[in-house]
Amino acid sequence: DNYYRLAKENYRKYVDLRKNDLTARYRYAQFLYLSKEYEAAVNEINVVLKETPSYVLLRLLAYSQFELGRTEDAKQTLFKYFLSISPKYVVYRDYEYRGKIAMKEGKLDDAKPDLMKAFELEPTRSDILADLVKAYTAAKQYTKAVEVQQVLVRADPNSINGYYTLGKLYSFEGGRLALSKEEKLKAKDLAGDNVDSLAARAQNTKSE
């Protein structure tokens, strides 16, 4: 982080001296993002993109917009980005951020393929899928949470926490199904199914 800061500061000085040097501004914009100065990064990236197209800066623009909470802007920028780039140049973070945007919108099933792809490209980032598991769990969609957690367990079969989380999710789903069954039985009672059954049995006894 310190090196990014020093690089950013020196590029800033260079840009001040050579305002029309797009290469310097391009590099400066990158280091603003890496230094997590997202607002400044957005402003600088927009200046450069007016002069020259760059899928790298378009990517960083979307990331920065998302980090600033501008989800709709980030969504539109990523849409433009994916249209302008060959699939072979797409990196895992592109899928990660597109998945994060869908999660932010509450569209977990739309997020899932992108986050799965991001994890496939960068299997050290288990947190990408862990966040999806948490989101499915919070939404009480335990079966889907289990599916994603199973991917994490297969990727790291020695993870104690992975098995613990999987067991917990199975427990949640079992509890949900048991509760659902109990609610159905109660509903049948309220509808009079059991009462009707007793009445019919009593009538048959009288007939005999």
Side-chain angles (χ1 to χ4, degrees), residues 13 25 33 37 39 65 69 94 119 140 144 161 207:
K13 291 174 184 175
R25 299 202 78 142
Y33 167 76
E37 295 187 30
E39 190 69 59
Q65 288 168 331
D94 301 337
F119 181 67
K140 297 184 179 181
K144 292 177 179 179
N161 288 334
S207 299

Side-chain angles (χ1 to χ4, degrees), residues 144-160:
K144 292 177 179 179
V146 164
E147 290 175 4
V148 180
Q149 185 62 30
Q150 285 174 333
V151 173
L152 288 174
V153 169
R154 285 196 295 270
D156 185 6
N158 296 317
S159 170
I160 296 173

Side-chain angles (χ1 to χ4, degrees), residues 126-142:
S126 60
D127 59 293
I128 293 173
L129 290 189
D131 286 343
L132 182 58
V133 170
K134 289 176 184 175
Y136 272 134
T137 303
K140 297 184 179 181
Q141 297 182 42
Y142 303 123

Side-chain angles (χ1 to χ4, degrees), residues 116-129:
M116 288 284 202
K117 184 64 177 179
F119 181 67
E120 178 189 327
L121 294 175
E122 187 49 75
T124 62
R125 289 284 314 283
S126 60
D127 59 293
I128 293 173
L129 290 189

Side-chain angles (χ1 to χ4, degrees), residues 63 97 123:
Y63 297 177
Y97 271 94

Side-chain angles (χ1 to χ4, degrees), residues 26-189:
Y26 174 94
R27 296 295 290 162
Y28 177 55
Q30 286 181 306
F31 282 106
L32 283 171
Y33 167 76
L34 292 170
S35 300
K36 299 182 181 180
E37 295 187 30
Y38 301 119
E39 190 69 59
V42 166
N43 293 335
E44 192 65 26
I45 289 169
N46 281 326
V47 169
V48 178
L49 287 178
K50 285 179 181 178
E51 301 297 329
T52 182
S54 167
Y55 69 81
V56 172
L57 289 188
L58 201 58
R59 166 193 291 155
L60 296 186
L61 178 60
Y63 297 177
S64 298
Q65 288 168 331
F66 180 84
E67 296 297 342
L68 289 167
R70 301 173 190 169
T71 308
E72 186 58 34
D73 289 343
K75 182 179 179 179
Q76 295 303 322
T77 302
L78 267 185
F79 179 75
K80 189 188 300 183
Y81 166 78
F82 273 95
L83 285 177
S84 67
I85 191 173
S86 168
K88 65 181 179 180
Y89 295 121
V90 177
V91 299
Y92 87 91
R93 279 190 171 275
D94 301 337
Y95 292 112
E96 179 189 1
Y97 271 94
R98 191 164 69 175
K100 282 182 174 180
I101 289 169
M103 282 182 65
K104 202 85 170 176
E105 295 177 329
K107 300 174 181 177
L108 302 186
D109 290 344
D110 290 344
K112 184 180 175 183
D114 278 325
L115 297 180
M116 288 284 202
K117 184 64 177 179
F119 181 67
E120 178 189 327
L121 294 175
E122 187 49 75
T124 62
R125 289 284 314 283
S126 60
D127 59 293
I128 293 173
L129 290 189
D131 286 343
L132 182 58
V133 170
K134 289 176 184 175
Y136 272 134
T137 303
K140 297 184 179 181
Q141 297 182 42
Y142 303 123
T143 301
K144 292 177 179 179
V146 164
E147 290 175 4
V148 180
Q149 185 62 30
Q150 285 174 333
V151 173
L152 288 174
V153 169
R154 285 196 295 270
D156 185 6
N158 296 317
S159 170
I160 296 173
N161 288 334
Y163 288 108
Y164 174 77
T165 300
L166 190 57
K168 187 167 65 173
L169 289 170
Y170 278 125
S171 174
F172 287 163
E173 179 62 3
R176 186 189 68 79
L177 290 173
L179 184 61
S180 176
K181 186 176 180 181
E182 185 179 343
E183 287 173 345
K184 286 178 181 176
L185 288 172
K186 284 181 179 178
K188 286 182 72 176
D189 287 344

